[in-house]
Amino acid sequence: MSVAEILNGKNGDVVTATPETLLVEVANTLAKHRIGALVVKDGAVVCGIISERDLVRHIASDGADALDQQVLKCMTKTVVSCQRTDTIDSVMEKMSTGRFRHLPVIEDGELLGIISIGDVGKRKIEQAERDAEDLKRYSAS
Ligand code: AMP
């Protein structure tokens, strides 16, 4: 199963922020869309990612004033991404090695989508259910 198959089952919109977006706005956007991370774009270029964990860490160190600061101060600048042809197993490998739960899909510099650990887990469970059904049918025939 590939990243493209996961993307096909999702609304293609990726929720983004800019380096200048205030953290209070990030918190509101994450809550409104019920998501855990925003891809940060400077114009058309992906320049970072900010997740709920970054936000929590920043508030823990700077207090509530952190919310008035800009994304640039607490985003991760080196973004690990994947491509549509990548397998789910390779995505899982990247997430587990990097210890993060979000992977933007970027090709030729263009942001095409984002895969979360929730998307991957859902597909893995569906696959396991299909395999169990196949096995049941096979052993009954
Ligand atoms: P997460 O588990 O996705 O909430 O993220 C945990 C940490 O990894 C945060 O510091 C994020 O900014 C960072 N992070 C999340 N996704 C990525 C990614 N695809 N590439 C690089 N860093 C990431």
Side-chain angles (χ1 to χ4, degrees), residues 14-21 26 38-42 47-48 50 71:
V14 185
V15 188
T16 60
T18 72
E20 292 79 32
T21 304
V26 170
L38 302 180
V39 177
V40 185
K41 284 177 87 179
D42 193 358
C47 61
I50 180 163
V71 161

Side-chain angles (χ1 to χ4, degrees), residues 4 13 50 106 138:
D13 298 342
I50 180 163
I106 300 175
Y138 174 75

Side-chain angles (χ1 to χ4, degrees), residues 42-55:
D42 193 358
V45 178
V46 172
C47 61
I49 187 162
I50 180 163
S51 87
E52 54 201 356
R53 288 197 182 165
D54 298 315
L55 209 53

Side-chain angles (χ1 to χ4, degrees), residues 29-80:
T29 306
L30 293 176
K32 178 176 162 207
H33 293 275
R34 296 167 174 264
I35 54 178
L38 302 180
V39 177
V40 185
K41 284 177 87 179
D42 193 358
V45 178
V46 172
C47 61
I49 187 162
I50 180 163
S51 87
E52 54 201 356
R53 288 197 182 165
D54 298 315
L55 209 53
V56 166
R57 232 181 274 136
H58 212 58
I59 292 168
S61 73
D62 287 21
D65 288 349
L67 291 172
D68 297 328
Q69 294 172 6
Q70 295 182 336
V71 161
L72 185 62
K73 288 215 54 176
C74 82
M75 69 184 191
T76 300
K77 291 181 184 152
T78 308
V79 179
V80 179

Side-chain angles (χ1 to χ4, degrees), residues 123-133:
R123 290 307 174 123
K124 273 288 187 191
I125 290 167
E126 285 169 3
Q127 174 92 60
E129 284 170 353
R130 269 200 307 272
D131 289 349
E133 275 306 313

